Coordinates of all heavy atoms in Angstrom, one line a residue:
G166 N 15.5 -27.1 -105.9 CA 14.5 -28.2 -105.8 C 14.0 -28.4 -104.4 O 14.8 -28.3 -103.4
I167 N 12.7 -28.7 -104.2 CA 12.1 -28.9 -102.9 C 11.3 -30.2 -103.0 O 10.4 -30.3 -103.9 CB 11.1 -27.7 -102.6 CG1 11.8 -26.4 -102.7 CG2 10.5 -27.9 -101.2 CD1 10.9 -25.2 -102.7
T168 N 11.6 -31.1 -102.1 CA 10.8 -32.4 -102.1 C 10.2 -32.6 -100.7 O 10.7 -32.1 -99.7 CB 11.8 -33.6 -102.4 OG1 12.8 -33.6 -101.5 CG2 12.3 -33.5 -103.8
I169 N 9.0 -33.2 -100.7 CA 8.3 -33.5 -99.5 C 8.4 -35.1 -99.3 O 7.9 -35.8 -100.2 CB 6.8 -33.1 -99.6 CG1 6.8 -31.6 -100.0 CG2 6.2 -33.3 -98.2 CD1 7.6 -30.7 -99.1
R170 N 8.9 -35.5 -98.2 CA 9.2 -36.9 -98.0 C 8.6 -37.4 -96.7 O 8.1 -36.7 -95.9 CB 10.7 -37.2 -98.1 CG 11.3 -36.8 -99.4 CD 12.8 -36.9 -99.3 NE 13.2 -38.3 -99.0 CZ 14.4 -38.6 -98.5 NH1 15.3 -37.7 -98.3 NH2 14.7 -39.9 -98.2
D171 N 8.7 -38.8 -96.5 CA 8.3 -39.4 -95.3 C 9.5 -39.8 -94.5 O 9.7 -41.0 -94.3 CB 7.4 -40.6 -95.7 CG 6.7 -41.2 -94.5 OD1 6.8 -40.7 -93.4 OD2 6.1 -42.3 -94.7
Q172 N 10.3 -38.9 -94.1 CA 11.5 -39.2 -93.3 C 11.2 -39.9 -92.0 O 10.2 -39.6 -91.3 CB 12.3 -37.9 -93.0 CG 12.9 -37.2 -94.3 CD 12.1 -36.1 -94.8 OE1 10.8 -36.2 -94.8 NE2 12.7 -35.0 -95.2
K173 N 12.1 -40.8 -91.7 CA 11.9 -41.6 -90.5 C 12.5 -40.9 -89.3 O 12.1 -41.2 -88.1 CB 12.6 -42.9 -90.6 CG 12.1 -43.8 -91.8 CD 10.7 -44.2 -91.7 CE 10.2 -45.1 -92.8 NZ 8.8 -45.5 -92.7
S174 N 13.5 -40.0 -89.5 CA 14.2 -39.5 -88.3 C 14.6 -38.0 -88.3 O 15.4 -37.6 -87.5 CB 15.5 -40.3 -88.1 OG 16.3 -40.1 -89.3
R175 N 14.0 -37.2 -89.3 CA 14.4 -35.8 -89.3 C 13.2 -35.0 -89.9 O 12.3 -35.5 -90.6 CB 15.6 -35.6 -90.1 CG 15.4 -35.9 -91.6 CD 16.7 -35.8 -92.4 NE 17.6 -37.0 -92.1 CZ 18.7 -37.2 -92.7 NH1 19.1 -36.4 -93.7 NH2 19.4 -38.3 -92.5
W176 N 13.2 -33.7 -89.5 CA 12.2 -32.8 -90.0 C 12.5 -32.3 -91.4 O 11.6 -31.9 -92.2 CB 12.1 -31.6 -89.0 CG 11.5 -32.0 -87.7 CD1 12.1 -32.1 -86.5 CD2 10.1 -32.4 -87.5 NE1 11.3 -32.5 -85.5 CE2 10.0 -32.7 -86.1 CE3 9.0 -32.5 -88.2 CZ2 8.8 -33.0 -85.5 CZ3 7.8 -32.9 -87.6 CH2 7.7 -33.2 -86.3
G177 N 13.8 -32.1 -91.7 CA 14.2 -31.5 -92.9 C 15.7 -31.8 -93.2 O 16.4 -32.1 -92.3
S178 N 16.1 -31.6 -94.4 CA 17.5 -31.7 -94.8 C 17.8 -30.8 -96.0 O 16.9 -30.4 -96.7 CB 17.9 -33.1 -95.1 OG 17.2 -33.6 -96.2
C179 N 19.1 -30.5 -96.1 CA 19.6 -29.7 -97.2 C 20.8 -30.4 -97.9 O 21.7 -30.7 -97.1 CB 20.0 -28.2 -96.8 SG 20.6 -27.2 -98.1
S180 N 20.7 -30.6 -99.2 CA 21.9 -31.2 -99.8 C 23.0 -30.2 -100.1 O 22.7 -29.0 -100.1 CB 21.4 -31.9 -101.1 OG 21.1 -30.9 -102.1
E181 N 24.1 -30.7 -100.5 CA 25.2 -29.8 -100.7 C 25.0 -28.9 -102.0 O 25.5 -27.9 -102.1 CB 26.5 -30.7 -101.0 CG 27.8 -29.9 -101.0 CD 29.0 -30.9 -101.1 OE1 28.8 -32.0 -101.6 OE2 30.1 -30.4 -100.7
T182 N 24.1 -29.4 -102.8 CA 23.8 -28.6 -104.0 C 22.6 -27.7 -103.8 O 22.2 -27.0 -104.7 CB 23.4 -29.5 -105.2 OG1 22.3 -30.4 -104.8 CG2 24.6 -30.4 -105.6
G183 N 22.1 -27.6 -102.6 CA 21.0 -26.7 -102.3 C 19.6 -27.3 -102.4 O 18.6 -26.5 -102.3
G184 N 19.5 -28.6 -102.5 CA 18.2 -29.2 -102.6 C 17.6 -29.3 -101.2 O 18.3 -29.8 -100.3
I185 N 16.3 -29.0 -101.0 CA 15.7 -29.0 -99.7 C 14.7 -30.1 -99.6 O 13.8 -30.2 -100.6 CB 15.1 -27.7 -99.3 CG1 16.2 -26.6 -99.0 CG2 14.1 -27.8 -98.1 CD1 15.7 -25.3 -98.7
S186 N 14.7 -30.9 -98.6 CA 13.7 -32.0 -98.4 C 13.0 -31.8 -97.0 O 13.7 -31.5 -96.0 CB 14.4 -33.4 -98.4 OG 13.4 -34.4 -98.2
L187 N 11.7 -31.8 -97.0 CA 10.9 -31.6 -95.8 C 10.0 -32.7 -95.5 O 9.5 -33.4 -96.4 CB 10.1 -30.3 -95.9 CG 10.8 -29.0 -96.2 CD1 9.8 -27.9 -96.4 CD2 11.7 -28.7 -95.0
N188 N 9.8 -33.0 -94.2 CA 9.0 -34.0 -93.7 C 7.5 -33.6 -93.8 O 7.2 -32.5 -93.3 CB 9.3 -34.3 -92.3 CG 8.7 -35.6 -91.8 OD1 7.5 -35.9 -92.0 ND2 9.5 -36.4 -91.1
W189 N 6.6 -34.4 -94.4 CA 5.2 -34.0 -94.6 C 4.6 -33.7 -93.2 O 3.6 -32.9 -93.1 CB 4.5 -35.0 -95.3 CG 4.2 -36.3 -94.6 CD1 5.0 -37.5 -94.7 CD2 3.2 -36.6 -93.6 NE1 4.5 -38.5 -93.9 CE2 3.4 -38.0 -93.2 CE3 2.2 -35.9 -93.1 CZ2 2.6 -38.6 -92.2 CZ3 1.4 -36.5 -92.1 CH2 1.6 -37.8 -91.7
R190 N 5.1 -34.3 -92.1 CA 4.5 -34.1 -90.8 C 4.6 -32.6 -90.3 O 4.1 -32.3 -89.3 CB 5.1 -35.0 -89.8 CG 4.8 -36.5 -90.1 CD 5.5 -37.5 -89.3 NE 5.3 -38.8 -89.6 CZ 5.9 -39.5 -90.6 NH1 6.8 -38.9 -91.4 NH2 5.5 -40.7 -90.9
L191 N 5.4 -31.8 -91.0 CA 5.5 -30.4 -90.6 C 4.2 -29.7 -90.6 O 4.1 -28.6 -90.0 CB 6.6 -29.7 -91.5 CG 8.0 -30.0 -91.2 CD1 8.9 -29.4 -92.2 CD2 8.4 -29.4 -89.8

Side-chain angles (χ1 to χ4, degrees):
I167 306 164
T168 57
I169 308 304
R170 300 174 57 200
D171 189 4
Q172 291 99 320
K173 303 294 185 183
S174 62
R175 67 186 74 173
W176 292 108
S178 62
C179 178
S180 72
E181 192 174 22
T182 57
I185 289 179
S186 179
L187 299 174
N188 193 314
W189 68 263
R190 295 171 182 82
L191 282 170

